[in-house]
Amino acid sequence: MLNTHPLQHPLQQYREMATAGQAVDQASTNMALAVLATESAKPGRHPLRFSAPVVLNLGRGMMLLSLAGAGTALAVAYLYPEQYSLGEQVAAHLLLPVMAGFFKLGYVIRLAAHHALGNYQAG
């Protein structure tokens, strides 16, 4: 069972048992998952932590990729339609608003990162 040392945290005990190759029963697994869920649900702690510069680059990259996708869809749908089949043209027409949505989402992610960095003038 998990209680190898009374002062040791249950999640740490579970990790040690799992890395040592010991058999871990279902009750121990459930207890470790419950502890993990309550630890991450504590006020002031978020289970997923991202740094603002990483999120800023994610938003910028998302904007660039969606812009490239929209440019490609625009070329297929309107600039060179005679070179593509009807199905490809329909797909390109459908992808245009999807790419616009991803661009907007990337912009919002970028703004959130600027806000986290303290740059409230970014727009």
Side-chain angles (χ1 to χ4, degrees), residues 9 11 15 31-41:
H9 194 275
L11 190 58
R15 285 185 184 139
M31 186 173 73
L33 291 174
V35 168
L36 184 62
T38 54
E39 289 281 321
S40 63

Side-chain angles (χ1 to χ4, degrees), residues 2 7 15 43 51 70-72 84-85 87-88 93 99 114 119 123:
L2 269 180
L7 299 177
R15 285 185 184 139
S51 65
T72 303
Y84 297 96
S85 69
E88 291 169 333
H93 277 89
M99 290 295 116
H114 274 296
N119 183 8

Side-chain angles (χ1 to χ4, degrees), residues 18-66:
T19 56
Q22 296 177 2
V24 181
D25 60 350
Q26 188 63 36
S28 301
T29 303
N30 290 342
M31 186 173 73
L33 291 174
V35 168
L36 184 62
T38 54
E39 289 281 321
S40 63
K42 288 182 179 177
R45 288 193 64 191
H46 195 275
L48 298 175
R49 295 179 186 220
F50 296 104
S51 65
V54 171
V55 174
L56 182 64
N57 286 332
L58 175 73
R60 287 175 178 162
M62 195 168 179
M63 289 172 64
L64 285 174
L65 286 175
S66 64

